[in-house]
Each structure stands twice: as structure tokens, then as C-alpha cells.
């Protein structure tokens, strides 16, 4: 197949990027490499400044060495490029809660480019204090024609009341157009391609509804366990960690109406409408439509692994879920009655994130033998997000021979085949670039975060009610596809895709 060209971004004006949590894992592994990439491609102007803000008592040179090492470990660029890039860096060792440290930050920013991007990659409990201090110091205001923006990493709150409170606090100091709430799934090329597939083509739209679609399955399966994040995960669980954000975002992109234009508010209006069409679940619905599980020890990729309760930082009697499967309904004109099956978990059999849209079977039984033997598979369109990247359509074809025998075959689009390279799966370069240029299309709006929490809170409330009866997440063997109970969610005539 002929290779297609890959688009590059136009360059930006100089900016000051202030990284809260500048020594943390996210900054070192994702954000600084993303900024380095933008600088290397000359998208980020060479007069830009990056101010690292964290509690460690480094000086600028020590911080530069830390960043050079981090970039080196990711094997990015040449030594000379890394050294040159690190000249953009300065460092402020301080306390996010102490007003005097914001006065120092302000002094530090004297002479830096007036366009500012505050990037909150610090522990989420520090967000309210940071927002408050930035506001009090007058740093949230844009100065003389320049722009000031703030990026906030997930989790955005831990339930609806805390998300509302954080939104109120942000809005006291920043206008909504200045606020960029990240969900890194939206930065994945394959996720953005969902919108292109749906709205740059006419083929699918006529069948993209309850008349033709029998169910939608969204899977985000990981083979990794909680790694070193046991303490965080104890307070989160798979519902807050993956469903509230990544899975519901994927669902919203699949189910949304065409936006008026590809502009931030037009796209987000439609996504919010989808999220609001999924009514909060009653405890009974939670009981029958949602399954939670927790991994026990098992074998993953040929290696024995411990159970969740044995992970560092995890309570040995923990009831936190590492797996969630849910059957949800988008109660609107287009989707009424179509199950949206969501499934995510750690330590599952294979790493895969995909969306499968399954179409209805033909209304008439023409190829009786095949039908009688239950072999006629429904047409399925599978959008593969990662690690394979592409789209395939499964349909029935006649196998060569004297009889009519229908077998499933696939039409396959792979990024590698068509564009000569995979996307690399990196979401951050795109998201950091969009935040710098002020395009909020791939970021979460205040009402969107709240709508997702409303639904997720109803599931948690259902579990809490169940807990009164002593229920726990169902245990599953690490390396399996989750608890057996999840198998009933697709209904009698369907099953989870596992290939
Ligand atoms: C993060 C979660 O948001 O997404 C992690 O906190 C999870 O627990 C990760 O592992 C998955 O992201 P990706 O891009 O690897 O699918």
C-alpha cells in the first residue's frame, strides 16, 4: 500500500512553562521528553523557559543534570541536544502551600516570556493549594496581551463533590478557557482517529445507531499490576483510575452526535450530552450490570506474579477493585437499548485497548446451514487503540468450494502499513502542544468531568450498599480475563471479544 505523509505542527511563540512536580515520574518520563521533542522539532521557540517547581532542594544545575539523565534514559536526541535543551531549565525548590514561594516564582518569571503555562503534575491533594496561591499571587491573570493557562493532571477530584469543589476553586481564579484538564487517552492518535473515522467518512454514519448496532464493547486491558503505585491505587481502584476518565471518554467519542465544528466547545458539548444520557445507576442496577474484581497471584507473560493484596503499599485485606466490567446504556434517540460494555483491569491476559462495534445479524436466514450451526458471526468493526494500531472490519465471506459456507474474514487497516510507522502511542507531545497553543478540543471541560463523576459515584454507592452485605470484589487469577461473573454481562447471544 502507498505510504501517506505525516503532518507536522507549525512553530509557537516563546512561552514560560512552570512544572509543578518537576522531579516526579510523570515530569521525567512524559512531560520533559514531550517538551524536548517540541523543542527539537523547533515547535517550541528557543527563547522559551521551563521552570521546575518541586520540594527537593536542588539548584538549577542539579536539576538540569537530572533532566539530562532522564532524557538520556529514554534515549532521546543527542548529548549535545539534551545539554542545549536543558539550558531552558531553571529550578525552584519550595513548598506548594507556602505563599512566599509563589513570590519567588513570580520574581523568577521576571524576564521570562509573558505567555505562561502552569502544569500541575504534582500529587493531586496539592492542587487546591497551588490554584489558590497562584490566584493570590496574581499569577493566574494574563498580562498585557499575553496568555496564562493551567494544565491539570488526572485524577480530577475523587468523586463529584470534590471535583465540583476543585472546579469552583479554579473558576475563582481562572476562566474556563484557561483550564486544560488532561485525559491522556485523548492525545493518542488512534483515539483521535475515532473522530476522523466517524466524521470524515460517510460510510458508517447511516448504520451508527440502534437500528444496526447490537452492542459496543470497549476494553482497556493491562498486563501490568499496580507497580509502585499501591498507595495511590488504594485510594482509587479501577473505577476511578480508568473508568471515570479513559473508558467514559472512549464511550463518549463513539456515541456522540456530529459536532457543529471541530472546535473545543462544539466537540465537548456533544461529549457531555452523551455522558448525561447515561443515567446514574441504582444499587440494583449496579448489582446486575457491574462486576468488580481483584487479581490474585498467577502467571503473566510466563512469569509468576503476586496478588494485589501482596503488592507494596496495599492493605493485605484490601477490597479495592483492580477490574471493572459494566453494561451501560446511552439513553438517547440514537442508542436507546444498545448495551455499551466497558471492561478494564490490571494483570489481565493481554495488553489491549480496543473498541468493537458489533452489528446485528441479518434479518433473514438465507444460508441455513451456517446459521443453524451458529457459525454466522455478526459484522464487527474493531478500532484498535493499542498496542496494535488500526481498524478492522470483520464480515462473512463465502469459502471457496461447492457448498455455500460462510466464514468470517477481515479487512484490515494498520497504521504501520499505511503511514510507514506506528504512532508510537505517545499522547503527551500532542497534549502539551495543544495546551501551549490554547486548543482545548482534546481536554476535559468542567461539566464533562462532573457528568462522568455523577455516573461513577452511583456505581460506587451501589458497591457501598453491597458492602453492607459483606460483598467483596470477585477474585481473578492474574493472567486471566477477569472474574467469571463478567462473562454474563454481554447477554445470552454475545460474548466478550478476547482475540
Ligand atoms: C493511567 C492510569 O491513567 O492510565 C494507570 O492511572 C494506567 O493505572 C494507565 O496504567 C494506562 O495508560 P496507557 O496509556 O498505558 O493505556
Amino acid at each position: 500500500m502507498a505510504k501517506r505523509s505525516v503532518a507536522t505542527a507549525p512553530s509557537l511563540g516563546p512561552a514560560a512553562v512552570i512544572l509543578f512536580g518537576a522531579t516526579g515520574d510523570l515530569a521525567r518520563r512524559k512531560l520533559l521528553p514531550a517538551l524536548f521533542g517540541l523543542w527539537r522539532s523547533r515547535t517550541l521557540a528557543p527563547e522559551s523557559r521551563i521552570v521546575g517547581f518541586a520540594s527537593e532542594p536542588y539548584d538549577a544545575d542539579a536539576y538540569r543534570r537530572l533532566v539530562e539523565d532522564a532524557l538520556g534514559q529514554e534515549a532521546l536526541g543527542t548529548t549535545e541536544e539534551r545539554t542545549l535543551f536543558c539550558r531552558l531549565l531553571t529550578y525552584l525548590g519550595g513548598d506548594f502551600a507556602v505563599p512566599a514561594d509563589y513570590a519567588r516564582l513570580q520574581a523568577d518569571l521576571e524576564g521570562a516570556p509573558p505567555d505562561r503555562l502552569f502544569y500541575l503534575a504534582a500529587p493531586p491533594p496539592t492542587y487546591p493549594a497551588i490554584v489558590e496561591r497562584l490566584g493570590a499571587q496574581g499569577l493566574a491573570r494574563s498580562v498585557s496581551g499575553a496568555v496564562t493557562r493551567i494544565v491539570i493532571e488526572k485524577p480530577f477530584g475523587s468523586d463529584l463533590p470534590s471535583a465540583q469543589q476543585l472546579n469552583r476553586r479554579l473558576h475563582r481564579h481562572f476562566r474556563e478557557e484557561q483550564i486544560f484538564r488532561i485525559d491522556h487517552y485523548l492525545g493518542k492518535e488512534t483515539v483521535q482517529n475515532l473522530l476522523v473515522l466517524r466524521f470524515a467518512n460517510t460510510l458508517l454514519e447511516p448504520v451508527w445507531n440502534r437500528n444496526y448496532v447490537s452492542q459496543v464493547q470497549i476494553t482497556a486491558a493491562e498486563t501490568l499490576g499496580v507497580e509502585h503505585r499501591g498507595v495511590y491505587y488504594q485510594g482509587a481502584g479501577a473505577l476511578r483510575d480508568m473508568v471515570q476518565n479513559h473508558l467514559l471518554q472512549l464511550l463518549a467519542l463513539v456515541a456522540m452526535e456530529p459536532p457543529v465544528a471541530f472546535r473545543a466547545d462544539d466537540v465537548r458539548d456533544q461529549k457531555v450530552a452523551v455522558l448525561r444520557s447515561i443515567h446514574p445507576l441504582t444499587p440494583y442496577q449496579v448489582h446486575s450490570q457491574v462486576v468488580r474484581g481483584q487479581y490474585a497471584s498467577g502467571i503473566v507473560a510466563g512469569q509468576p506474579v503476586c496478588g494485589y493484596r501482596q503488592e507494596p503499599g496495599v492493605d493485605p485485606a484490601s477490597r479495592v477493585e483492580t477490574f471493572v466490567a459494566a453494561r451501560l446504556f446511552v439513553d438517547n434517540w440514537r442508542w436507546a437499548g444498545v448495551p455499551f460494555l466497558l471492561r478494564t483491569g490490571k494483570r489481565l491476559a493481554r495488553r489491549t485497548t480496543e473498541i468493537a462495534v458489533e452489528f446485528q445479524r441479518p434479518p433473514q436466514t438465507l444460508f441455513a446451514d451456517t446459521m443453524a450451526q451458529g457459525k454466522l458471526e455478526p459484522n464487527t468493526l474493531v478500532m484498535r487503540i493499542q498496542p496494535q494500531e488500526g481498524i478492522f472490519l470483520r464480515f462473512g465471506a463465502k469459502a471457496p468450494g461447492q457448498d455455500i459456507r460462510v466464514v468470517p474474514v477481515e479487512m484490515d487497516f494498520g497504521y504501520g502499513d499505511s503511514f510507514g510507522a506506528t504512532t508510537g502511542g505517545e499522547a503527551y507531545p500532542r497534549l502539551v502542544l495543544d495546551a501551549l497553543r490554547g486548543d482545548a478540543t482534546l481536554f476535559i471541560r468542567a461539566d464533562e468531568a462532573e457528568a462522568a463523576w455523577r455516573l461513577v459515584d452511583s456505581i460506587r454507592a451501589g458497591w457501598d450498599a453491597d458492602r453492607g452485605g459483606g460483598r467483596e470484589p470477585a477474585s481473578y487469577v492474574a493472567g486471566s480475563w477477569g472474574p467469571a461473573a463478567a462473562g454474563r454481562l454481554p447477554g445470552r447471544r454475545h460474548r466478550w471479544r478476547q482475540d
Side-chain angles (χ1 to χ4, degrees):
M1 195 184 285
K3 304 279 186 279
R4 310 282 173 218
S5 65
V6 178
T8 48
S11 42
L12 299 165
V17 179
I18 301 93
L19 267 182
F20 289 82
T23 53
D25 209 44
L26 184 70
R28 279 182 290 132
R29 288 189 29 242
K30 301 287 181 191
L31 305 179
L32 288 155
L35 286 162
F36 178 56
L38 294 174
W39 171 84
R40 263 183 100 203
S41 63
R42 298 179 194 283
T43 312
L44 185 69
E47 306 80 26
S48 296
R49 274 271 305 279
I50 300 169
V51 182
F53 188 172
S55 56
E56 282 84 352
Y58 293 132
D59 59 17
D61 283 340
Y63 184 59
R64 287 186 188 122
R65 278 197 299 279
L66 178 101
V67 176
E68 274 191 59
D69 283 354
L71 297 174
Q73 269 166 29
E74 306 279 328
L76 299 170
T78 62
T79 313
E80 199 193 344
E81 284 174 324
R82 294 196 288 265
T83 310
L84 269 179
F85 168 73
C86 285
R87 289 198 190 144
L88 308 188
L89 302 174
T90 58
Y91 183 78
L92 183 79
D95 186 327
F96 301 147
V98 172
D101 288 339
Y102 290 76
R104 285 168 57 216
L105 174 61
Q106 193 165 37
D108 230 48
L109 288 172
E110 293 289 319
D115 283 355
R116 289 174 185 163
L117 185 72
F118 295 105
Y119 200 118
L120 273 51
T126 62
Y127 293 170
I130 297 175
V131 171
E132 210 50 56
R133 304 282 175 276
L134 286 174
Q137 193 63 41
L139 285 163
R141 280 195 305 271
S142 300
V143 272
S144 54
V147 287
T148 295
R149 302 190 177 103
I150 183 165
V151 180
I152 303 184
E153 275 293 333
K154 75 168 265 270
F156 190 85
S158 54
D159 54 13
L160 178 61
S162 58
Q164 284 172 325
Q165 206 178 12
L166 186 51
N167 274 333
R168 275 196 298 273
R169 200 179 282 262
L170 278 161
H171 289 150
R172 265 213 296 275
H173 303 292
F174 295 87
R175 283 170 287 109
E176 180 62 28
E177 315 83 87
Q178 293 177 279
I179 306 169
F180 292 71
R181 298 171 194 80
I182 279 212
D183 182 318
H184 80 277
Y185 267 49
L186 296 180
K188 292 181 192 276
E189 287 281 348
T190 44
V191 172
Q192 291 163 48
N193 194 33
L194 256 169
L195 292 175
V196 175
L197 175 74
R198 289 197 55 202
F199 303 127
N201 300 289
T202 51
L203 192 68
L204 294 172
E205 180 57 21
V207 294
W208 209 253
N209 55 54
R210 65 194 301 274
N211 299 324
Y212 292 93
V213 174
S214 64
Q215 63 167 229
V216 178
Q217 292 190 5
I218 302 179
T219 297
E222 297 183 88
T223 50
L224 291 179
V226 289
E227 310 291 288
H228 55 280
R229 298 163 74 222
V231 174
Y232 152 76
Y233 204 82
Q234 275 294 97
L239 184 67
R240 289 188 175 110
D241 188 47
M242 293 291 289
V243 178
Q244 190 274 341
N245 34 72
H246 310 324
L247 267 74
L248 287 177
Q249 283 297 315
L250 294 180
L251 187 158
L253 295 176
V254 173
M256 68 191 258
E257 295 301 317
V260 176
F262 193 60
R263 277 190 308 249
D265 275 335
D266 297 318
V267 170
R268 298 187 298 178
D269 284 348
Q270 298 305 339
K271 286 200 290 162
V272 177
V274 172
L275 294 172
R276 289 180 31 202
S277 306
I278 311 172
H279 297 300
L281 272 55
T282 62
Y284 174 74
Q285 287 170 323
V286 173
H287 190 70
S288 56
Q289 292 174 211
V290 186
V291 171
R292 65 192 154 135
Q294 188 190 72
Y295 63 82
S297 60
I299 309 267
V300 175
Q303 298 297 318
V305 296
C306 70
Y308 176 67
R309 291 178 180 183
Q310 288 82 52
E311 297 277 15
V314 171
D315 173 1
S318 171
R319 290 176 160 190
V320 166
E321 77 290 349
T322 60
F323 173 97
V324 179
R327 186 171 68 234
L328 301 177
F329 292 91
V330 180
D331 216 352
N332 64 15
W333 195 268
R334 187 190 281 262
W335 294 113
V338 178
F340 282 74
L341 292 147
L342 269 47
R343 178 174 59 160
T344 184
K346 298 216 178 267
R347 289 282 189 233
L348 295 184
R350 199 155 45 78
R351 176 173 183 240
T352 182
T353 303
E354 62 163 44
I355 300 163
V357 177
E358 194 177 289
F359 293 90
Q360 289 175 12
R361 293 189 156 83
Q364 211 190 354
T365 310
L366 279 187
F367 309 110
D369 284 356
T370 317
M371 290 296 270
Q373 290 163 23
K375 280 187 189 153
L376 198 58
E377 290 202 14
N379 297 153
T380 311
L381 182 75
V382 181
M383 290 151 274
R384 286 177 157 156
I385 310 290
Q386 60 189 23
Q388 288 110 330
E389 301 180 320
I391 299 172
F392 72 82
L393 176 67
R394 177 171 287 185
F395 60 100
K398 181 185 171 306
Q402 304 298 334
D403 303 322
I404 293 204
R405 199 162 55 84
V406 183
V407 293
V409 293
E410 282 165 11
M411 284 201 288
D412 214 340
F413 149 71
Y415 272 78
D417 297 335
S418 297
F419 297 105
T422 59
T423 72
E426 266 310 329
Y428 276 95
R430 169 65 194 261
L431 294 175
V432 172
L433 172 64
D434 280 3
L436 281 165
R437 63 185 172 193
D439 181 349
T441 312
L442 301 178
F443 293 82
I444 312 292
R445 204 168 58 189
D447 51 350
E448 215 177 333
E450 293 182 12
W453 276 121
R454 201 165 280 120
L455 174 64
V456 157
D457 281 3
S458 74
I459 297 179
R460 185 144 304 272
W463 287 346
D464 288 346
D466 250 8
R467 217 167 261 175
R471 283 181 204 278
E472 305 203 341
S475 174
Y476 61 95
V477 176
S480 69
W481 279 104
R488 69 178 151 76
L489 292 181
R492 268 188 305 118
R493 298 190 62 212
H494 304 270
R495 57 191 167 77
W496 288 105
R497 278 174 42 78
Q498 285 180 5
D499 51 341

